[in-house]
Amino acid sequence: MPASPRSPGIVAGRLDAGALAERFSDISPRLDPHEALVAADRCYFCHDAPCMEACPTSIDIPLFIRQIATGTPEAAARTILDQNILGGMCARVCPTETLCEEVCVRETAEGKPVEIGRLQRYATDTLMDAGVHPFSRAEVTGKRVAVVGAGPAGLSCAHRLAMHGHDVVVFDAREKPGGLNEFGIASYKSVDGFAQREIDWLLQIGGIEIHDGQTLGDAITLDGLVAEYDAVFLGMGLAGVNSLGVEGDDRGNVTDAVDFIADLRQAEDLTGLPVGRHVVVIGGGMTAIDAAVQSRLLGAEIVTLVYRRSQERMAASVWEQDLATSKGVTIIHNAMPLRVIGNGAVREMEFEYTRDGAGGLEPAGETFRLPADQVFRAIGQKLEGAPDGLTLERGKIAVTGAGRTSLAMVWAGGDCASGGDDLTVTAVAEGRDAAEDIHAKLMEA
Ligand SMILES: Cc1cc2nc3c(=O)[nH]c(=O)nc-3n(C[C@H](O)[C@H](O)[C@H](O)COP(=O)(O)OP(=O)(O)OC[C@H]3O[C@@H](n4cnc5c(N)ncnc54)[C@H](O)[C@@H]3O)c2cc1C
Ligand code: SF4
């Protein structure tokens, strides 16, 4: 008998290929030219536009929307990419509901913002489909920069450095570049291999080499890079995962949500990817939401996301929370894990309700259990493998200004660096700004 959502345990093929293809299809497909004109027409082209202020990469939003409105989407794409070279991915993954669209005057006045993210995607997709790379390199400077990490921060830094004429070598521990664009972002936000297509397009600038399977601290060392290159940028993200720290955390089928998501992103055939019947996800951010939603989409019968604080404290936006509940995920707030129960593998999870007390979060004295054949930990990532000698601040690489670390000629940006939100767009902004600072420093000499 074929597997179904009610099959016990962790099994593959709960749904057939057709159902899975539909469930994992593009969540917000590209606007067609007419839809884009209608959406652009809603913009007031505000002076001192609040949307632009809210964009971590400071894209000139009214300008690019005007360029769409006047029928020049390629020019609009250039406006976007000038500031954000991964504008195509950011158009797909930015939580616009908490950034540009939250402050759009149309949102304030009517509760319906201009669809900035979708317009950005329309412009950047139009340009990329035409195979155009609108930037060229300055005269080669002879300076060489090493970039560690081929995620959004590293790629953005590498592209800006290459534009200034420097030669860049990017080292990444994984077998493919892209960082979380390739291994983390939910499948339905980035379909049809977009992450790799965007990297191929970005590399058209020239002057960038990517070396996969090269881990800092293993195949390469920071001292070695500093000695060999004129400058180093660290964009290594957060490779470690926080543990639950409760009894039974090491039981079978209790795993990291990021690993499940990476497997899902790399799976060529989703019917071969096993998922539990009763899935419990612990956490309150995007990773937790993505693991929960994608478990449901794969066919898990009951998926429960448990977060220890109140709904308002969840890092995932209200849009993300609504997405999860619309897909049938149950969200329980104010409950913390107490122990994993099971003989070898997990069978149940025990939780205790919490409340806000004078000294912070405190147990409320009432416990409950959820049946679980698969549990995903999603309570945050942490920096792993930071080279010795770098000053850290709250577990991340301490930086000042445009990503300057405590070591001369070493910069850092993205999730691994102190300050800033852990968002794709912030990583792109920090990579770009560090590249400008590196360029200025290299040209002083
Ligand atoms: C599951 C998940 C979903 C997310 N969804 C969203 C979303 O929808 N929208 C959004 O804006 N943000 C989202 N984020 C956050 C976003 O993905 C990150 O903020 C962003 O990718 C950070 O970019 P980065 O370049 O700093 O790091 P990463 O993308 O993590 O890239 C770091 C790179 O460095 C490499 N590396 C690590 N250690 C080493 C080493 N020692 N040597 C060499 N290479 C190394 C890694 O292999 C990786 O390629 C999500 C995050 C997760 C985990
Ligand atoms: S705030 Fe809204 S209406 Fe004003 S420029 Fe930005 S997108 Fe247009």
Side-chain angles (χ1 to χ4, degrees):
M1 210 170 60
S4 80
R6 290 212 292 273
S7 302
I10 302 182
V11 297
R14 290 183 182 276
L15 298 171
D16 63 35
L20 288 172
E22 196 175 313
R23 285 170 163 232
F24 282 90
S25 62
D26 202 338
I27 192 166
S28 181
R30 186 199 308 191
L31 298 170
D32 69 29
H34 177 69
E35 290 169 328
L37 286 177
V38 172
D41 212 33
R42 292 189 64 238
C43 181
Y44 291 137
F45 310 118
C46 308
H47 185 63
D48 289 335
C51 54
M52 195 172 155
E53 288 289 311
C55 173
T57 50
S58 308
I59 291 171
D60 191 337
I61 294 169
L63 174 60
F64 96 68
I65 296 182
R66 190 185 289 280
Q67 288 165 320
I68 291 175
T70 54
T72 53
E74 288 87 356
R78 171 75 202 232
T79 302
I80 295 160
L81 298 163
D82 268 342
Q83 291 294 109
N84 179 338
I85 196 64
L86 297 182
M89 183 58 85
C90 288
R92 288 161 167 78
V93 308
C94 261
T96 49
E97 66 281 3
T98 60
L99 296 170
C100 53
E101 292 180 12
E102 182 180 42
V103 297
C104 171
V105 296
R106 285 276 196 178
E107 167 67 21
T108 321
E110 301 160 27
K112 188 173 184 296
V114 173
E115 291 181 289
I116 301 168
R118 297 190 78 190
L119 285 167
Q120 177 164 320
R121 172 161 175 191
Y122 170 72
T124 50
D125 279 10
T126 304
L127 185 93
M128 284 173 66
D129 282 359
V132 176
H133 187 89
F135 302 102
S136 52
R137 293 189 79 190
E139 201 177 322
V140 172
T141 61
K143 303 283 184 191
R144 297 174 72 236
V145 182
V147 169
V148 179
L155 290 169
S156 159
C157 182
H159 185 273
R160 188 56 68 108
L161 287 166
M163 263 177 73
H164 284 305
H166 309 302
D167 288 324
V168 187
V169 181
V170 184
F171 299 93
D172 198 285
R174 295 254 201 189
E175 69 281 8
K176 258 192 207 175
L180 291 170
N181 283 359
E182 173 62 33
F183 293 95
I185 294 295
S187 299
Y188 43 81
K189 291 185 186 169
S190 169
V191 301
D192 300 332
F194 180 75
Q196 293 308 309
R197 276 196 285 128
E198 189 178 42
I199 293 171
D200 292 343
W201 170 87
L202 178 149
L203 292 177
Q204 288 177 29
I205 187 75
I208 303 174
E209 274 175 36
I210 299 190
H211 295 195
D212 299 323
Q214 302 277 301
T215 304
L216 183 71
D218 184 0
I220 44 172
T221 63
L222 185 57
D223 287 348
L225 295 179
V226 169
E228 191 179 340
Y229 293 85
D230 297 294
V232 179
F233 174 78
L234 301 174
M236 53 206 286
L238 301 173
V241 176
N242 293 327
S243 68
L244 291 179
V246 299
E247 182 191 327
D249 189 5
D250 56 353
R251 287 226 152 72
N253 303 333
V254 179
T255 56
D256 295 330
V258 286
D259 291 340
F260 167 69
I261 291 168
D263 288 348
L264 201 143
R265 283 294 307 272
Q266 299 306 304
E268 292 199 349
D269 175 9
L270 288 176
T271 61
L273 198 69
V275 70
R277 176 182 180 185
H278 295 129
V279 175
V280 173
V281 182
I282 299 165
M286 278 190 191
T287 307
I289 295 278
D290 289 356
V293 169
Q294 294 184 109
S295 299
R296 270 292 291 166
L297 298 182
L298 276 177
E301 186 191 17
I302 297 178
V303 179
T304 314
L305 187 155
V306 186
Y307 176 56
R308 67 194 175 121
R309 297 181 188 277
S310 60
Q311 180 183 8
E312 305 74 57
R313 304 283 292 275
M314 282 182 88
S317 69
V318 173
W319 184 89
E320 302 269 352
Q321 295 174 41
D322 287 349
L323 173 71
T325 50
S326 75
K327 300 293 179 196
V329 173
T330 302
I331 303 182
I332 299 178
H333 303 105
N334 280 110
M336 62 181 188
L338 278 189
R339 62 192 176 111
V340 183
I341 301 160
N343 197 1
V346 57
R347 195 181 70 245
E348 281 182 313
M349 275 290 303
E350 186 168 74
F351 294 89
E352 180 164 13
Y353 283 113
T354 63
R355 64 179 167 226
D356 285 321
L361 201 66
E362 60 185 37
E366 188 186 343
T367 64
F368 65 95
R369 289 184 181 186
L370 293 175
D373 35 37
Q374 192 164 30
V375 172
F376 292 123
R377 293 179 281 246
I379 56 170
Q381 285 96 249
K382 59 184 178 187
L383 180 61
E384 213 168 64
D388 292 342
L390 279 170
T391 303
L392 300 186
E393 187 183 322
R394 285 196 232 129
K396 292 191 171 195
I397 299 171
V399 293
T400 51
R404 291 191 183 197
T405 71
S406 55
L407 297 179
M409 301 315 282
V410 180
W411 281 254
D415 286 2
C416 69
S418 63
D421 304 319
D422 289 349
L423 290 177
T424 310
V425 65
T426 310
V428 173
E430 291 177 3
R432 175 201 67 193
D433 293 348
E436 291 294 351
D437 200 43
I438 293 170
H439 171 62
K441 190 83 187 156
L442 292 179
M443 292 299 98
E444 270 173 17

